[in-house]
Amino acid sequence: MARVALETEGLRVVGAADVSPDKAGKDLGTILGLPKKLRIKIQGDVGRLLRKTKAEVAVLSTTSSLRDVKGQVAILAKKGLHVVTTCEEMAFPTPQHQQAFRELDRIARKSKVSVLGTGVNPGYAMDALALMLTAPCAHVSRISVTRVVDAASRRLPLQRKVGAGLNLNQFRRAQTEGSIRHVGLPESVHMIATAMGWKLEKVEETLEPAIAPRDLDTEYLRIPAGAVAGIKQSARGYRKGELAISLDLQMYVGAESPRDHVLVDGDPPIDCTIAGGVAGDIATAAITVNAIPKVMAARPGLVTMKDIPLVHRFNPHELKALPRKNR
């Protein structure tokens, strides 16, 4: 994200913070592997960073848990910063998170800033993209999204998150502990349903391991045949006794035909496939940066990808056109 921001005309990176001792105290340019230093020292304490640095927007990428990120968002908002966060549970308020969203919304409104949770998934591939594709439909009865990702091409932390290399007993134990799963499918279901005006009777989520059919290798791992290669996870939303929203995520090493597929059962029907799928790492960084002008122009409070105008490649002229009160 720092690299994308540094390369984006109209943005200026003025500070960075990370609690990791491997990064705190070092120059941001050094951490990014740039040929020269940026003279931006990574602070180990966000409070110290905010006391020393004047900024307009904070990009927050620390955790998937709303419970853990809530205090961080509150600190930034109270300091008068707009916030774009990749926390998956902040993509949309599910029923169990309504109270936390209301509290953060009050803080953001009082500070007259906007807060957005986004990313490639949730935030785009399995929700916002599907909603955009319903624009030419006079009627929609069902939305189905399938995302297939070959985890072999992704970073080690993601391979670990989907359980690659574990045996089945280790996977089930990690599943019970909640450490193996993609976070965000229920958020995507509720975003779609709310945008469509659908009242859901129930939302179901399932998670199963994808088993390696043969020995598999990644840059980081050796996965023997019969071991876990990743996950097959789904979420279903029902209305009026019928399936209305179907989200299927297959993320495992060796997944064949990676793709993002959206099927809208409507009038007219829409059947859209992105061959190869949207590359998750660069896409998450880019969509977070590209959303900045939309967040700065949004109403104060918590907003979601269904609330703000269509996010596209960063346009520096959008920032220049913003009223001074939004900056």
Side-chain angles (χ1 to χ4, degrees):
M1 291 176 190
R3 289 191 188 94
V4 173
L6 286 165
E7 296 168 356
T8 300
E9 179 187 354
L11 291 180
R12 184 163 63 96
V13 178
V14 296
D18 199 307
V19 297
S20 169
D22 295 334
K23 300 180 180 68
K26 296 182 180 179
D27 186 87
L28 179 60
T30 300
I31 291 297
L32 297 180
L34 302 181
K36 62 180 181 179
K37 293 184 177 182
L38 296 173
R39 296 183 180 179
I40 298 174
K41 182 179 179 180
I42 299 175
Q43 301 294 331
D45 177 72
V46 174
R48 179 178 173 81
L49 172 67
L50 296 177
R51 288 192 297 270
K52 296 182 61 176
T53 308
K54 185 177 181 180
E56 296 172 297
V57 181
V59 175
L60 179 63
S61 186
T62 53
T63 177
S64 299
S65 166
L66 174 58
R67 180 189 61 192
D68 295 334
V69 84
K70 178 183 173 185
Q72 300 168 8
V73 173
I75 289 172
L76 295 167
K78 287 177 180 178
K79 287 291 185 178
L81 276 73
H82 300 284
V83 180
V84 184
T85 176
T86 60
C87 173
E88 290 92 338
E89 289 186 345
M90 283 202 63
F92 200 82
T94 55
Q96 65 266 38
H97 292 146
Q98 293 283 345
Q99 181 59 35
F101 265 75
R102 282 193 290 267
E103 292 173 6
L104 285 175
D105 184 62
R106 283 195 294 268
I107 291 171
R109 286 175 182 270
K110 184 177 180 179
S111 300
K112 298 181 180 179
V113 298
S114 303
V115 177
L116 171 72
T118 192
V120 71
N121 183 33
Y124 180 73
M126 301 189 79
D127 41 46
L129 176 62
L131 290 175
M132 184 196 70
L133 290 173
T134 68
C137 298
H139 170 76
V140 174
S141 59
R142 182 183 301 177
I143 295 174
S144 303
V145 184
T146 300
R147 179 166 169 81
V148 181
V149 179
D150 182 1
S153 63
R154 301 294 296 275
R155 298 167 296 120
L156 178 60
L158 182 135
Q159 294 178 17
R160 293 293 192 193
K161 187 175 76 169
V162 298
L166 300 181
N167 62 43
L168 195 55
N169 288 335
Q170 291 170 326
F171 180 91
R172 292 303 185 193
R173 187 161 55 249
Q175 181 180 5
T176 301
E177 295 169 352
S179 59
I180 298 291
R181 63 184 287 259
H182 166 75
V183 180
L185 287 188
E187 285 74 14
S188 294
V189 168
H190 285 285
M191 183 192 299
I192 292 172
T194 302
M196 299 301 296
W198 294 343
K199 184 176 181 180
L200 298 179
E201 297 156 356
K202 63 178 178 178
V203 175
E204 298 176 339
E205 188 174 14
T206 61
L207 173 64
E208 293 297 331
I211 304 301
R214 61 187 182 281
D215 291 348
L216 300 170
D217 291 292
T218 75
E219 181 181 351
Y220 314 102
L221 300 173
R222 158 60 64 98
I223 304 171
V228 174
I231 59 172
K232 294 181 178 180
Q233 189 170 339
S234 66
R236 305 279 186 266
Y238 297 84
R239 64 186 289 262
K240 298 181 180 180
E242 300 288 338
L243 178 63
I245 301 169
S246 175
L247 305 182
D248 289 284
L249 176 65
Q250 302 173 35
M251 189 180 297
Y252 58 93
V253 174
E256 297 182 351
S257 302
R259 63 194 180 276
D260 286 300
H261 178 227
V262 180
L263 182 63
V264 178
D265 186 355
D267 182 19
I270 304 292
D271 190 338
C272 177
T273 298
I274 300 176
V278 179
D281 295 332
I282 182 60
T284 293
I287 197 169
T288 303
V289 171
N290 291 338
I292 288 175
K294 308 299 183 184
V295 173
M296 294 182 69
R299 60 165 176 78
L302 262 64
V303 295
T304 72
M305 289 294 283
K306 84 168 186 64
D307 302 316
I308 62 176
L310 180 67
V311 174
H312 48 74
R313 175 66 181 117
F314 192 96
N315 177 0
H317 298 295
E318 287 190 62
L319 289 182
K320 296 176 183 177
L322 286 176
R324 180 57 56 180
K325 67 182 180 64
N326 292 74
R327 303 194 57 180

